[in-house]
Amino acid sequence: MPTAGKYSIIVRKPTLVTTNSSRPDFHEFRRNSAMHFCITGQYTPRSLNAILENPTTNRQEAAAKVIEAGGGKLVSMYSVAADGPGVLVIFDVPDPSIAPAISGLTVATGALQNVKLTRLFTQDEIKQVRQNAVKLRASYKPPGS
């Protein structure tokens, strides 16, 4: 467990519902459906010192390179001042295991601290989630019922 700060990783796996096949081709699904993630975190003092030594450094190129190496695409990257100098990176990846690998790498290398990884859902994906919830509603009994 890193000592530079605390971090949490939140990952939710996608749900695939098909109507015209009893066994979908999951690999085809993953190739055609990128999953959106957001990483936020603050730069460690070591990273801030390195950036101050080279203030024209382009961290967006570094982020794009590691995301692309995982088969993904950088959507956008912002600098943030909340809770200290940091970043907010939005990216797409076809394999959900790549996102926590990227997040863990930034922590392990000491570049970021207080990292949070969040799976983002498009409105079309949320529509499917809601439809699935309606289908499952009758089968769930909450505690005390």
Side-chain angles (χ1 to χ4, degrees):
M1 187 147 259
T3 57
K6 97 181 163 178
Y7 64 95
S8 62
I9 298 175
I10 303 167
V11 178
R12 293 183 177 93
K13 295 193 178 202
T15 302
L16 174 61
V17 176
T18 60
T19 55
N20 55 355
S21 172
S22 61
R23 188 162 188 235
D25 181 353
F26 185 69
H27 297 293
E28 183 66 25
F29 169 73
R30 291 201 320 195
R31 276 193 294 275
N32 294 325
S33 299
M35 286 166 260
H36 311 280
F37 289 88
C38 175
I39 292 178
T40 59
Q42 288 75 46
Y43 289 112
T44 61
R46 185 180 76 172
S47 291
L48 286 172
N49 282 321
I51 290 169
L52 290 174
E53 288 174 14
N54 183 7
T56 61
T57 187
N58 189 336
R59 299 312 305 154
Q60 186 165 331
E61 287 177 3
K65 185 176 180 179
V66 71
I67 292 165
E68 290 168 5
K73 176 184 157 198
L74 175 66
V75 174
S76 58
M77 181 171 172
Y78 302 94
S79 294
V80 296
D83 302 319
V87 296
L88 181 149
V89 180
I90 299 172
F91 61 100
D92 293 339
V93 288
D95 178 349
S97 69
I98 295 295
I102 292 169
S103 177
L105 181 64
T106 63
V107 172
T109 62
L112 295 176
Q113 59 191 4
N114 303 319
V115 172
K116 292 181 183 163
L117 175 66
T118 305
R119 165 73 158 92
L120 305 175
F121 294 88
T122 66
Q123 290 306 301
D124 287 338
E125 289 171 318
I126 286 299
K127 181 180 176 183
Q128 185 64 52
V129 168
R130 290 174 183 152
Q131 290 170 349
N132 287 341
V134 168
K135 291 176 188 175
L136 298 172
R137 178 183 268 169
S139 65
Y140 179 72
K141 299 294 179 203
S145 61

